[in-house]
Amino acid sequence: MDSIDLRLIDLLRENARSSYAELARKVGLSAPAVHERVGKLEAAGTIRGYRADVDHEALGLGVTALIGIIEDSGADTDDVLTAVRAMPEVESCYFMAGVESYQLTVRVGTIAELEQLIVRINRTPGVASTRTAIALSTKWENRPQPGISS
Amino acid sequence: MDSIDLRLIDLLRENARSSYAELARKVGLSAPAVHERVGKLEAAGTIRGYRADVDHEALGLGVTALIGIIEDSGADTDDVLTAVRAMPEVESCYFMAGVESYQLTVRVGTIAELEQLIVRINRTPGVASTRTAIALSTKWENRPQPGISS
DNA sequence: TCTGAGCTATGGACTCCATCGACCTACGGC
DNA sequence: GCCGTAGGTCGATGGAGTCCATAGCTCAGA
């Protein structure tokens, strides 16, 4: 993990479909060398995968909301997690410090669907209550933080 | 935007480095046809880009937190936004309904750095107060929600 | 019903890339 | 000093990306 690796990661976070040849030109190595480095980063789990970044509105998922979950005292936290995991609308899930055990990012098409989703989460065994905040607009998301690849 | 487009988007959300030839095999078209479809999706802004999904801990960014910002009454909301945008630690930024105008996802290396970041945000003109919640663990993030590409 | 326009797929051709193997160099341990 | 290893370059080749000409399909209008 040297500065060239960091630079490769930066470049792939910027455009994951860059060709190895292009990456090689930018970091000043040969294509096979870059190929091997990227392969090692993938094998080590430093690079977990490559995702297309889509316009959710264009796909009919224009409503984004953040939902905090407060669990029942004595609830089995794994049950809640399993139930939430089965809901495809839940894009991200963090286990939090504080009163709200989980913080979810959810993505749905309409406010009505959001309402149904909240009801479903509240009905889940182990969930005491939820707190929902709706995003009016997304200023930016998943902005890559550049590594210090001097 | 038909079911083949949706399927292409799903496949690229799963693995953005798939070759056109591979995508073509999976959707039952020729590679040039897929190439043109993906190009149109990019031009239309439906596909915004392709990002490597990295292990933040391996890059020394093991601390994730969610920060809500309450603005001063009468603050120029654009000033706050501009200041926050200039902070590379802020990975995502939503403009919210409710008391907290902005909700941020931030990524830093240590709790000490988080503290410094919170101080910096609180010092920003227009910011009345902040509320920070620390993620103890990330269950999942940016999970692609499959389109209904029957 | 026939016709022409426009869209989108296919197949071929050419260029460029991915990837493998062979070899070269720097470095650390014996 | 010698050898083993890690990590690089170079060259070759098979396959992919991409441009282009062409063929079907849909639909509007005579």
Side-chain angles (χ1 to χ4, degrees):
Chain A
M1 172 63 68
D2 59 4
S3 74
I4 293 186
D5 280 346
L6 283 176
R7 190 140 161 55
L8 286 173
I9 289 171
D10 276 359
L11 291 168
L12 286 170
R13 295 237 276 167
E14 201 58 45
N15 178 14
R17 280 183 80 80
S18 310
S19 68
Y20 290 119
E22 191 181 339
L23 295 173
R25 277 191 293 272
K26 287 185 179 164
V27 301
L29 289 181
S30 67
V34 169
H35 184 252
E36 188 174 342
R37 275 173 179 266
V38 172
K40 282 181 182 171
L41 288 169
E42 290 169 357
T46 308
I47 295 177
R48 284 197 288 241
Y50 306 94
R51 314 256 166 268
D53 173 21
V54 304
D55 178 0
H56 294 95
E57 270 191 59
L59 296 177
L61 295 172
V63 177
T64 304
L66 305 181
I67 301 180
I69 295 181
I70 299 177
E71 286 182 303
D72 276 330
S73 56
D76 186 344
T77 202
D78 275 355
D79 288 351
V80 176
L81 189 57
T82 306
V84 167
R85 197 188 295 275
M87 302 177 185
E89 300 93 337
V90 180
E91 191 176 86
S92 303
C93 173
Y94 301 96
F95 184 62
M96 307 295 292
V99 181
E100 298 176 356
S101 306
Y102 293 103
Q103 188 66 235
L104 315 179
T105 310
V106 306
R107 196 91 68 175
V108 292
T110 62
I111 297 289
E113 283 169 39
L114 179 59
E115 181 179 339
Q116 290 168 15
L117 177 62
I118 294 170
V119 169
R120 233 185 316 144
I121 293 175
N122 273 302
R123 279 210 198 110
T124 301
V127 171
S129 66
T130 61
R131 186 180 61 92
T132 301
I134 295 185
L136 298 175
S137 79
T138 300
K139 298 309 179 186
W140 65 87
E141 263 175 341
N142 298 122
R143 185 173 62 160
Q145 179 168 350
I148 320 99
S149 51
S150 44
Chain B
M1 171 62 68
D2 58 4
S3 73
I4 293 186
D5 280 346
L6 282 175
R7 191 143 160 60
L8 286 173
I9 289 171
D10 277 359
L11 291 168
L12 285 170
R13 294 237 276 168
E14 201 58 45
N15 178 14
R17 279 184 80 80
S18 310
S19 68
Y20 290 119
E22 191 181 339
L23 295 172
R25 276 191 293 272
K26 287 185 178 164
V27 303
L29 288 180
S30 67
V34 169
H35 184 249
E36 188 174 344
R37 276 173 178 266
V38 172
K40 282 181 182 170
L41 288 170
E42 290 169 358
T46 309
I47 295 178
R48 284 197 286 239
Y50 306 93
R51 313 256 167 270
D53 174 21
V54 304
D55 178 0
H56 294 96
E57 269 190 60
L59 297 177
L61 295 173
V63 176
T64 304
L66 306 181
I67 302 181
I69 296 181
I70 299 177
E71 285 182 303
D72 276 332
S73 55
D76 185 344
T77 201
D78 275 353
D79 288 351
V80 175
L81 188 57
T82 306
V84 166
R85 197 188 296 275
M87 301 177 185
E89 300 92 337
V90 179
E91 193 176 85
S92 303
C93 173
Y94 302 97
F95 183 63
M96 306 296 292
V99 181
E100 298 175 356
S101 306
Y102 293 103
Q103 188 66 237
L104 316 179
T105 310
V106 307
R107 196 90 70 175
V108 293
T110 62
I111 297 289
E113 284 170 37
L114 179 59
E115 181 179 339
Q116 290 169 14
L117 178 63
I118 294 170
V119 168
R120 233 184 318 144
I121 294 175
N122 272 303
R123 279 209 199 113
T124 301
V127 171
S129 67
T130 60
R131 186 181 61 93
T132 301
I134 295 185
L136 297 175
S137 79
T138 300
K139 297 310 178 186
W140 65 88
E141 264 175 341
N142 298 121
R143 186 172 61 160
Q145 179 169 349
I148 320 99
S149 52
S150 45

